[in-house]
Amino acid sequence: QVQLVESGGGLVQAGGSLRLSCEGSGRTFSTFRWGWFRQAPGKEREFVASTNWNGGSTSYADSVKGRFTISRDNAKNTVYLQMNSLKPEDTAIYYCAVRTVLGGSFNYWGQGTQVTVSS
């Protein structure tokens, strides 16, 4: 059974940092694209960042560029999201996801981890 489990969320003051982790189990994800998404209260889920299989190709939402960094450890089947200079508007539930079909949608999702940034 495939599972993605996020961790590392919490409460932090504006300007602070958090590092989210997402570990996959049930199969190997080393050749697939990983992504992070978030959903704030009352808003639709939005893309945050993604990385290809070796970290050589990354993509970020404009709102997090220069502040967030996505990385991965294929040996651990894990992807990370380093979040610096956090702002109250970064408050959301953060989800990791994996896309196993080239050109398709992200088809495996974690349960989410809450990030709250206080002003």
Side-chain angles (χ1 to χ4, degrees), residues 77-99:
N77 234 15
T78 299
V79 67
Y80 305 96
L81 185 68
Q82 177 66 44
M83 306 186 294
N84 299 328
S85 302
L86 283 161
K87 304 175 181 179
E89 52 263 43
D90 294 318
T91 295
I93 299 174
Y94 283 71
Y95 300 90
C96 69
V98 174
R99 186 181 72 188

Side-chain angles (χ1 to χ4, degrees), residues 43-103:
K43 295 186 177 181
E44 294 187 352
R45 186 170 60 194
E46 64 176 0
F47 168 78
V48 175
S50 69
T51 177
N52 73 331
W53 72 277
N54 66 354
S57 172
T58 57
S59 179
Y60 295 92
D62 288 343
S63 58
V64 306
K65 280 181 182 177
R67 300 188 298 121
F68 290 11
T69 302
I70 188 171
S71 61
R72 63 190 294 166
D73 185 336
N74 288 333
K76 296 182 179 179
N77 234 15
T78 299
V79 67
Y80 305 96
L81 185 68
Q82 177 66 44
M83 306 186 294
N84 299 328
S85 302
L86 283 161
K87 304 175 181 179
E89 52 263 43
D90 294 318
T91 295
I93 299 174
Y94 283 71
Y95 300 90
C96 69
V98 174
R99 186 181 72 188
T100 60
V101 178
L102 185 63

Side-chain angles (χ1 to χ4, degrees), residues 4-40:
L4 303 180
V5 180
E6 300 98 335
S7 61
L11 174 64
V12 64
Q13 287 188 330
S17 299
L18 283 175
R19 188 195 194 204
L20 305 184
S21 300
C22 176
E23 182 176 3
S25 62
R27 68 175 295 175
T28 299
F29 296 102
S30 59
T31 61
F32 302 126
R33 193 166 194 92
W34 286 80
W36 285 97
F37 296 77
R38 67 187 182 185
Q39 186 168 20

